[in-house]
Amino acid sequence: MTMLAAYMERNKISDADLAVVIGKDRSIVNRIRQGKMRPTLEVAALIERHTNGEIPMQAWVSEEGAAA
């Protein structure tokens, strides 16, 4: 489970909810949440901002952070 998936589950946030907040397509959020795709720097910054830093940009730098 990725950090993003755990955060979304813990906070009961759907792919569609997060997609609206960060202004991206739900399918992109879905692929990032599942660990099938890494976010761009822009999207990583948006995720960090909208998770109040719980998912920092640095989490996407290593395999461990993305899948932790």
Side-chain angles (χ1 to χ4, degrees):
M1 177 177 284
T2 65
M3 288 178 64
L4 182 59
Y7 173 87
M8 290 172 67
E9 184 177 306
R10 194 170 51 250
N11 291 283
K12 296 178 177 39
I13 299 171
S14 70
D15 292 347
D17 293 337
L18 184 59
V20 168
V21 172
I22 66 171
K24 300 298 175 186
D25 190 83
R26 180 193 57 78
S27 64
I28 291 172
V29 172
N30 181 271
R31 285 181 281 181
I32 294 169
R33 178 182 53 77
Q34 292 181 9
K36 293 180 179 179
M37 174 181 157
R38 288 186 189 221
T40 63
L41 290 176
E42 173 195 3
V43 172
L46 290 168
I47 291 170
E48 179 176 20
R49 186 175 320 130
H50 291 288
T51 62
N52 295 315
E54 286 192 49
I55 312 295
M57 288 181 67
Q58 295 83 358
W60 305 104
V61 175
S62 70
E63 287 293 323
E64 288 180 13

